Amino acid sequence: MPPETTAQGPVLRLSGITKRFGQLTANDGISLSLARGEVVALLGENGAGKTTLMNILFGHYTADAGTVEVMGQTLPPGQPGAALNAGVGMVHQHFTLADNLTVLDNVLLGTRPLLSLSPGRGAARRKLAQLAQDFGLAVDPDARIAALSVGERQRVEILKALFRDARILILDEPTAVLTPQEADALFDTLRRMLAQGLSVIFISHKLHEVMAISSRVLVLRHGKLVGETATDATDRHQLATMMVGAEITAPAPAEARPGETLLKLDNVSTARQGNRPGLQDVALDLRAGQILGLAGVSGNGQGALADLLSGLESPTQGTLTLADKRPDAWSPRTAVALGIGRIPEDRHKTGTIADFTLTENTVLENYATTARGGWMNWRAARTATDAIIDKYDVRCPGPDTRIRLLSGGNMQKLILGRVLEAAPRIILANQPVRGLDIGAVTYVQEQLIAARDAGAAVLLISEDLDEILTLSDSIRVISEGRLSPEFPRGTKTPTELGQWMAGQGFDHAA
Amino acid sequence: MRLEPIAAPSHARTLVPPAIAIAATIAVAGLLAALAGANPLQTFGLIVKGAFGSKFAALETLNRATPLVFTGLAVAVAFRARLWNIGAEAQLYAGALMTVLIGTQLGLPGPLAIPLMALGAVMAGALVLLGPVLLKTRLGVDEVVTTLLLNFVMALFISYLLEGPLKDPMGMGWPKSPSLPRDARLPRIVDGLRLHWGFGLALICAAGVWLIQTRTTLGYEIRAVGANPQAARFAGIPVTRVLVKTALLSGGLAALAGFSEVAGLKGNLTTDLSASFGYTGIVVAMLALLHPMGVVISALFVAGIFVGADSMSRAAQVPTYIADLLLACALLFMVLAILLTRFRVVRG
């Protein structure tokens, strides 16, 4: 494409964007400019205001103050169509594709009038093929979305934006669902786009990716722009410090001393549920004093394994053995009674009851054991809650506060207290630090390590490979409901694990 | 426009919207009274006087409130667990039917008959709600539909019984059941005053439900299942069993309304035993925000409006429909007001 004359100034300029939600200032006077052929990384923890800022750019929210300019033109606020027409494309973290349509139909969706006699599919097909070739985004235009892998779906999302002649592409946490190899392929595509004069905003909280792809970094913290620097002039440590606002030290667990096997799965399969694969002929040993990390791309059977160990689901085949015994009736209550502590994936929907007080949430799992003849023992519940608030540093107005008023980190500390105070022999930690700020992350991880050192068997499920590599004494990879062999700490590189995450190696192992 | 939750509502926040709701209810109802050609102030005066103005009026209001407390509690208990029991009307008639059957067919002495009638009524009402809740938990059938439709099934069944096997031979052709013997009726609370022990039982039930909800594991389970079934299940609360228990409790409470109307007031079963008490129970429970003690107050309020409107209509020639309108306005405005105590409306 010929260079445009408007390329002198920035292609995108946000000036003084401010957005408040009630008491919370999600964006506080943020300004950002993006030049042609540039990747700007937007770095910040969950809740720092990245997504809000992009929603304002797209007209989903109306800013309380500030303006958005694309190619020198000010966009009218609150009109999602305006940004699209001006050439801004966005690839959301959660894809917005119609599963039952083909790739071509998804790309065309919304670009044609509803009732058109000449859909122009032939021309569209040629344009799509050209784009796919130019940017290295190979995908079959006639494949149904439902049949595509996550990485392929992301390519379709990018093609969708390019098909609409986007000159600015916003990627929101694009690598969260990718294996390391797929992430590398994505970066190749991005480099080709830059060479063609497109510009990219890359939203992430993964520092090594930001260092690898961006030319400038903007750091957000609590809704404020706290730093802007050329990527060459900084390093990961400095960015992390900027992002958190304090020095951080990653936990470094000491050598594990694995003991006896506390939980054993033999040839276990579970039922498939909708899009979620079940487990397939899985064998698993959880040993005392060891953290076993379960790596894998989201939606490959982690949920099935977590539900099985939580007691929500029973095996359709195979056996589950706990401390040499096979429980006859498998239910959440049995799981808790037999010493499994469970930190659920979704603390808002599964872990707590939003309209219950802290006290009521604390006793969710053990109210029946402290009750006397059907009467609640509120005094014991209150004492236990006070102890957890104190010991786990739960910041709250008091034990009678409804838990919905707490931050995610404090909610997770209460759940952690509830789990650990029951002195479980086995701990199932499903995404225990997702969405937490770094202070809380470190705290939760240290508590898990401490529980391991005290002799608990920990199963850590995470989609964040870095987290798995840092904490796990041993790693297994899950792919389409199958488990890889066990890899002790340090025996596999991220790239090798990535191959397992992509499903390679299972056939030889089986 | 969207709603934004308020973390810690101020006192003004919690008091002003309900006050405005009351004012708006009065304003709308006053306007309607004026449309009907009456003086609004006088109309309201007559309603209040008719409901609470004399000993007779107040006792009438208490009598009218009695079945509403039972059905209101039945709905409040079920709704707390997000079990949408719209069938209190059917459960009421099931209770009334069992009361009549035990009271007239077994020939037991009063002191034995009355507790047995109450127990039988509770079991019958519980049984009527058991079907829909099992269909819900086993097959996922919507209980709103099943409980609602059972109201009509039950109404027709009662009608059949009263025209057929249960028809009073001494009833001169009227479709009504034989009457309970004297000693199988609920005694009056104070001799000479027209208020029976059904009202006392209603108050005891309200206190009992409040105790269950706040102090027992069952109450805790019911609230947990209602507030977040997914978290309740994860924590190990047997969700299905709790729903079944809730249904038994709710159906039993609604059936006590039937028991109390038959044994305390009417003495026999007719097809017009309930003036839609089962449906009005939903209004009572919603106005009380599902709080069991609030149900008593809200039942008195609703009963007062009905009784007062009856008396007002005789004096001021305003149709009694104004009672229904008053209630409808009160409910709509109050629900909106309660929403506004917890959320603020923001633009954008």
Side-chain angles (χ1 to χ4, degrees):
Chain A
M1 287 180 202
E4 291 162 29
T5 45
T6 51
Q8 307 306 323
V11 291
L12 174 72
R13 192 206 301 271
L14 303 178
S15 320
I17 300 283
T18 298
K19 178 71 184 172
R20 290 183 201 88
F21 296 105
Q23 303 290 313
L24 178 85
T25 305
N27 285 161
D28 190 354
I30 295 175
S31 299
L32 176 163
S33 73
L34 181 67
R36 210 175 118 83
E38 182 187 36
V39 177
V40 167
L42 205 53
L43 188 67
E45 294 193 72
N46 290 292
K50 297 169 294 187
T51 307
T52 304
L53 190 63
M54 291 306 117
N55 276 326
I56 288 168
L57 162 54
F58 262 87
H60 294 310
Y61 293 153
T62 311
D64 296 328
T67 55
V68 179
E69 284 171 54
V70 178
M71 316 283 174
Q73 303 284 317
T74 304
L75 293 185
Q79 292 181 17
L84 283 173
N85 292 336
V88 186
M90 179 149 183
V91 176
H92 290 271
Q93 193 176 351
H94 303 285
F95 301 145
T96 52
L97 298 170
D99 271 0
N100 54 343
L101 297 183
T102 65
V103 170
L104 184 64
D105 287 335
N106 264 286
V107 170
L108 282 176
L109 205 61
T111 62
R112 295 279 187 278
L114 263 182
L115 299 169
S116 163
L117 288 175
S118 56
R121 294 176 65 92
R125 185 183 292 273
R126 283 190 294 280
K127 182 172 177 185
L128 191 63
Q130 186 65 44
L131 285 171
Q133 195 189 343
D134 286 353
F135 295 103
L137 293 163
V139 58
D140 174 9
D142 296 315
R144 273 179 203 281
I145 296 298
L148 299 184
S149 73
V150 177
E152 288 171 316
R153 289 180 201 206
Q154 188 174 60
R155 277 179 238 157
V156 178
E157 282 280 14
I158 297 173
L159 281 171
K160 231 167 85 178
L162 295 174
F163 190 85
R164 288 163 169 74
D165 300 318
R167 305 297 296 159
I168 301 165
L169 198 65
I170 300 168
L171 300 167
D172 189 1
E173 301 275 357
T175 59
V177 292
L178 302 182
T179 64
Q181 284 81 357
E182 287 173 321
D184 285 342
L186 172 68
F187 289 171
D188 281 342
T189 299
L190 292 186
R191 290 194 188 96
R192 290 197 204 194
M193 294 190 331
L194 302 182
Q196 301 251 11
L198 273 73
S199 311
V200 173
I201 296 182
F202 186 87
I203 303 174
S204 183
H205 64 263
K206 291 188 182 169
L207 296 166
H208 58 91
E209 292 173 356
V210 168
M211 295 302 295
I213 191 74
S214 71
S215 47
R216 251 183 329 129
V217 187
L218 271 70
V219 184
L220 293 187
R221 189 170 74 230
H222 301 319
K224 287 198 181 66
L225 188 61
V226 291
E228 180 169 0
T229 168
T231 311
D232 301 340
T234 186
D235 58 43
R236 284 171 69 162
H237 184 75
Q238 197 187 356
L239 285 178
T241 310
M242 247 197 277
M243 189 161 90
V244 184
E247 289 278 324
I248 47 156
T249 46
E255 189 81 9
R257 286 189 304 273
E260 56 183 320
T261 296
L262 297 179
L263 182 145
K264 195 172 177 60
L265 298 183
D266 281 311
N267 305 324
V268 165
S269 299
T270 61
R272 183 183 183 86
Q273 296 195 348
N275 272 336
R276 201 189 78 176
L279 297 176
Q280 289 181 22
D281 216 6
V282 160
L284 177 74
D285 280 7
L286 295 183
R287 280 184 289 277
Q290 174 178 283
I291 296 181
L292 179 70
L294 186 73
V297 177
S298 162
N300 266 285
Q302 292 96 329
L305 182 60
D307 280 357
L308 175 69
L309 298 189
S310 306
L312 290 169
E313 232 182 288
S314 295
T316 50
Q317 169 207 313
T319 54
L320 180 153
T321 318
L322 266 169
D324 298 329
K325 279 200 239 27
R326 282 190 208 164
D328 348 316
W330 190 233
S331 71
R333 195 165 273 183
T334 322
V336 172
L338 293 178
I340 302 185
R342 306 154 317 144
I343 302 172
E345 180 179 10
D346 189 331
R347 56 187 154 270
H348 298 277
K349 286 195 188 130
T350 324
T352 56
I353 294 179
D355 280 324
F356 269 23
T357 64
L358 269 71
T359 309
E360 288 170 324
N361 271 296
T362 302
V363 297
L364 262 178
E365 289 176 355
N366 70 355
Y367 70 96
T369 50
T370 59
R372 285 164 304 200
W375 296 90
M376 291 293 288
N377 188 346
W378 286 121
R379 189 176 298 169
R382 181 61 184 262
T383 314
T385 311
D386 283 337
I388 288 176
I389 290 175
D390 205 38
K391 185 168 164 189
Y392 294 85
D393 189 28
V394 182
R395 308 276 168 84
C396 63
D400 296 326
T401 316
R402 282 182 303 144
I403 204 162
R404 70 158 70 244
L405 300 176
L406 265 57
S407 71
N410 285 310
M411 219 181 261
Q412 193 72 331
K413 283 180 186 172
L414 186 91
I415 294 176
L416 196 68
R418 179 172 86 193
V419 166
L420 295 181
E421 287 306 291
R425 304 281 339 258
I426 299 158
I427 297 171
L428 165 69
N430 193 356
Q431 313 259 24
V433 301
R434 184 159 71 177
L436 302 186
D437 59 53
I438 296 220
V441 167
T442 313
Y443 183 82
V444 170
Q445 292 180 338
E446 279 167 357
Q447 292 290 324
L448 289 178
I449 293 168
R452 178 204 76 170
D453 292 342
V458 181
L459 176 68
L460 172 70
I461 302 179
S462 176
E463 284 154 24
D464 185 342
L465 197 52
D466 294 339
E467 184 189 1
I468 295 273
L469 287 165
T470 312
L471 292 180
S472 313
D473 304 310
S474 197
I475 295 175
R476 299 189 69 172
V477 180
I478 191 164
S479 172
E480 289 170 18
R482 297 167 300 172
L483 283 183
S484 74
E486 207 168 310
F487 308 123
R489 176 185 283 275
T491 56
K492 283 274 182 279
T493 63
T495 315
E496 288 169 319
L497 289 173
Q499 284 164 355
W500 282 93
M501 284 160 71
Q504 295 161 24
F506 282 91
D507 300 325
H508 309 294
Chain B
M1 300 234 291
R2 62 200 164 78
L3 293 172
E4 200 168 78
I6 302 168
S10 62
H11 282 296
R13 251 292 161 192
T14 47
L15 293 178
V16 172
I20 293 175
I22 292 169
T25 306
I26 291 173
V28 171
L31 200 70
L32 291 165
L35 273 177
N39 176 347
L41 279 181
Q42 196 194 1
T43 310
F44 287 124
L46 284 170
I47 290 180
V48 174
K49 193 161 160 247
F52 302 104
S54 63
K55 194 157 83 178
F56 175 81
L59 288 173
E60 192 53 36
T61 300
L62 292 184
N63 265 332
R64 186 65 174 260
T66 302
L68 294 179
V69 174
F70 285 120
T71 55
L73 286 173
V75 171
V77 162
F79 279 22
R80 185 59 82 192
R82 301 246 169 146
L83 178 70
W84 307 115
N85 176 15
I86 315 294
E89 190 80 3
Q91 294 136 29
L92 179 154
Y93 273 110
L97 175 63
M98 195 52 88
T99 304
V100 165
L101 284 178
I102 294 175
T104 60
Q105 307 295 316
L106 296 186
L108 296 167
L112 196 62
I114 291 179
L116 208 62
M117 278 151 51
L119 195 68
V122 166
M123 284 166 65
L127 201 68
V128 169
L129 191 49
L130 190 62
V133 84
L134 287 180
L135 282 173
K136 173 192 168 82
T137 53
R138 296 281 161 83
L139 302 173
V141 180
D142 192 335
E143 76 275 19
V144 172
V145 176
T146 49
T147 56
L148 178 67
L149 291 182
L150 270 181
N151 289 339
F152 302 104
V153 174
M154 184 56 80
L156 291 169
F157 180 59
I158 295 286
S159 190
Y160 153 74
L161 287 178
L162 293 184
E163 292 285 0
L166 211 59
K167 190 166 184 172
D168 183 5
M170 321 289 276
M172 309 213 282
W174 289 103
K176 67 186 192 76
S177 76
S179 294
L180 297 177
R182 273 277 136 222
D183 67 345
R185 308 265 181 109
L186 287 174
R188 305 218 160 150
I189 294 178
V190 178
D191 264 341
L193 294 184
R194 205 175 99 88
L195 182 67
H196 59 85
W197 265 104
F199 183 71
L201 183 63
L203 293 184
I204 293 169
C205 283
V209 168
W210 179 76
L211 263 184
I212 288 175
Q213 285 195 338
T214 55
R215 294 281 189 277
T216 68
T217 52
L218 176 63
Y220 175 77
E221 290 169 340
I222 289 176
R223 289 187 295 125
V225 167
N228 184 342
Q230 188 181 337
R233 194 165 103 82
F234 178 81
I237 294 174
V239 174
T240 303
R241 221 185 309 163
V242 170
L243 282 176
V244 169
K245 286 183 193 169
T246 309
L248 297 180
L249 188 59
S250 169
L253 283 165
L256 280 179
F259 159 75
S260 140
E261 285 299 283
V262 169
L265 213 56
K266 304 277 176 64
N268 58 17
L269 176 58
T270 54
T271 48
D272 62 352
L273 177 75
S274 158
S276 292
F277 295 138
Y279 297 104
T280 311
I282 299 172
V283 179
V284 169
M286 297 296 279
L287 274 179
L289 302 180
L290 307 187
H291 191 288
M293 291 318 205
V295 162
V296 175
I297 296 165
S298 120
L300 286 173
F301 168 73
V302 171
I305 286 182
F306 277 123
V307 172
D310 272 345
S311 138
M312 176 276 301
S313 125
R314 285 192 291 275
Q317 264 89 59
V318 176
T320 52
Y321 293 126
I322 199 156
D324 293 309
L325 284 165
L326 254 175
L327 265 191
C329 290
L331 183 65
L332 289 176
F333 288 133
M334 202 48 97
V335 167
L336 189 64
I338 299 300
L339 185 77
L340 290 179
T341 60
R342 295 190 208 152
F343 295 88
R344 70 166 69 86
V345 180
V346 285
R347 288 158 127 258

